[in-house]
Each structure stands twice: as C-alpha cells, then as structure tokens.
Amino acid sequence: NYFVSAITRFQPNSFHRVQERLPEVRFDLLPSALGGGFYHRFSASAAVLREDPPLGGSTLRSDRLDAYYTLSRPITPRDWLAFTPLVGGRLTHYTNSDGGRARTGNYLRLLGEAGFDAALRMSGTFDYQNPSWKINGLRHLLTPRLGYRYIPQADKGRAQIPRIDREVFATYLPLLGLDGVRSIDDLHATNTLRLGFDNTLQTRDPGLGSRDLLVFNLANDFRFKRRAGERTVSEIHAEVAAMPARWLQFD
C-alpha cells in the first residue's frame, strides 16, 4: 500500500531557468485504515534543490527533508452524503540553504492544518437513444462539494527559505490543503471555503458498463484570509471535457 519514486531534473544549458532536483526521492503511503473508521496517509521526501537563473542573478540552493501526515474520519450517514473531517501536519527541514532572501543555512518549519471535505451525490436517468453516437440512455451525475482548510502559519519562515518550489501561474483549480501541494517553499496562510459542482453525463457501454460523455465542473473559493491584492471571492474555475467517442477527448 505504498510506493517509492525518484526524479532527477537538471539544467542542460545556461539560458533557461530550471528548478533542478539532484535528485529527489519520495515515499508515499496510500490512505490506510487504522480502525474505528479512521484513515491515515503519509509522505516523505528528500531533495537536493538548485536553481541558477540565466544571465546572472542569485543562485538558489537548499537540501530539503519534507514529511506530511494526515488523519481523517469519513462519516457517511446516507449513501448519498459523505462528510470527512481531517487534521494534518507538515514538517520541513532546510539545510545548506543559500540565495534569495535566505540568511541562515538551516531552518525547521512545522505546519498544521484542519478542515473537512463534504460531498452530496445525486443522479438522474433519461431514456435517450442515438445509434450514430452509440448513446444508449443517459445518466446525469451531480455532486455538490464543500471543502474547508485552515492553515494559519503557512507563510512563516519565508525570509529563511529559498523560493525554489514556488507558485507558478496555472488555470487549474489550485490545491486547497497541504497534501500534494508542490510549491512548499512558497506557502501562504490559508483560511478558505471552497464550493464546487461536479457534473458528469454518462451512457451505457457494453464493455465498461458506463462511459463518460461530458464533464462540466465549477468551483469557487471564499477567502477569510487574503493576501495583498486578493479578493474575498476568487475567480470561478471551470473544467469542461467532451468524450463523444471512446477514442476522442476534448478538454
């Protein structure tokens, strides 16, 4: 119920910025039952990080040990309702740090988080037939989701940490909690409630049982703790994917 992985990324030339990993080794324990309805998961990594900006600039470097642990307790009073409170912590140790705003060679950071995930599952079926598109009935799955994370001190130690694994622009919905986040050198205090609506349209499939035809998901964040320039309500994130045939997907 676990896996071990390793990745190496190096800078082959001097004119492109690369976040080097020389290397990074990870251990991941998948969610496992503890008894009493509780589940836990764990991950740890060791990485040698380097970044040499093109055309001069300060070299960033650090050797980093990182570990994350979370404990959750799913509650399912009905088959259509799931509520999962959780608590977690992330311990990160930096050594041989240099560059940027870092002023010390060693730094230890301990972060805690608390929150929950909730989902309400609904569905409806429709007797629609279209032999040309191999549609044999339709099923609409609607899943309203509510998630909350409170990470009060995620931005502490920023003056001692070289920002190598930092935030980058992306149109994907950002991760809400500490679990799985990659920009661990550039974290920010979080007090956020996320509301989302997942929509999936399916049809019967003789081999797979069912096949997705359309996915349309929406999500929005309500920030009780904001950074400079942020609004209380985030932009609306939308994800759309159409699969009119088994061999074709358009996102």
Side-chain angles (χ1 to χ4, degrees):
N1 203 36
Y2 65 89
F3 58 90
V4 178
S5 58
I7 179 175
T8 296
R9 183 189 297 124
F10 61 92
Q11 185 172 5
N13 53 64
S14 60
F15 57 84
H16 184 69
R17 181 187 294 266
V18 176
Q19 296 158 327
E20 296 184 275
R21 319 184 96 77
L22 305 170
E24 179 180 10
V25 179
R26 287 183 56 87
F27 171 86
D28 289 272
L29 175 68
L30 301 177
S32 305
L34 285 174
F38 287 91
Y39 289 80
H40 70 155
R41 62 182 304 173
F42 172 77
S43 65
S45 68
V48 178
L49 306 174
R50 299 290 185 272
E51 184 177 71
D52 293 317
L55 304 176
S58 301
T59 297
L60 304 179
R61 67 183 66 225
S62 68
D63 300 338
R64 188 182 68 202
L65 300 175
D66 179 65
Y68 175 83
Y69 180 83
T70 184
L71 184 68
S72 61
R73 175 61 167 87
I75 302 171
T76 53
R78 297 289 187 272
D79 56 1
W80 44 265
L81 175 63
F83 177 78
T84 306
L86 61 88
V87 292
R90 190 154 200 164
L91 181 68
T92 310
H93 181 253
Y94 296 86
T95 185
N96 298 324
S97 299
D98 188 22
R101 298 182 300 165
R103 294 293 179 266
T104 61
N106 298 276
Y107 183 73
L108 181 66
R109 181 185 66 188
L110 176 61
L111 302 176
E113 72 170 342
F116 66 85
D117 294 305
L120 180 66
R121 297 183 175 88
M122 296 176 283
S123 65
T125 57
F126 309 92
D127 188 20
Y128 174 77
Q129 305 291 324
N130 191 321
S132 299
W133 290 94
K134 295 182 173 56
I135 295 177
N136 180 16
L138 292 174
R139 177 170 61 184
H140 177 210
L141 304 177
L142 173 61
T143 308
R145 298 183 183 275
L146 196 64
Y148 173 75
R149 292 296 186 277
Y150 178 59
I151 314 170
Q153 296 181 315
D155 52 357
K156 71 177 182 180
R158 293 176 64 85
Q160 285 76 38
I161 300 173
R163 293 174 61 241
I164 299 177
D165 280 340
R166 57 187 175 274
E167 277 191 331
V168 296
F169 173 78
T171 58
Y172 291 101
L173 188 68
L175 294 172
L176 188 58
L178 287 174
D179 184 21
V181 65
R182 294 298 296 175
S183 57
I184 62 175
D185 302 337
D186 190 22
L187 297 176
H188 302 275
T190 300
N191 187 1
T192 301
L193 179 71
R194 174 171 294 170
L195 175 65
F197 295 92
D198 294 352
N199 291 273
T200 303
L201 191 64
Q202 299 177 322
T203 189
R204 296 184 184 91
D205 185 271
L208 302 175
S210 62
R211 175 170 60 91
D212 291 350
L213 297 173
L214 179 69
V215 173
F216 179 51
N217 301 330
L218 295 172
N220 210 36
D221 285 347
F222 300 87
R223 306 183 180 109
F224 306 110
K225 173 72 174 179
R226 297 177 299 278
R227 288 180 273 171
E230 280 190 334
R231 301 181 301 177
T232 302
V233 181
S234 73
E235 297 85 353
I236 295 177
H237 289 263
E239 178 186 16
V240 181
M243 293 76 71
R246 290 184 181 181
W247 45 268
L248 178 62
Q249 178 169 327
F250 179 77
D251 296 273

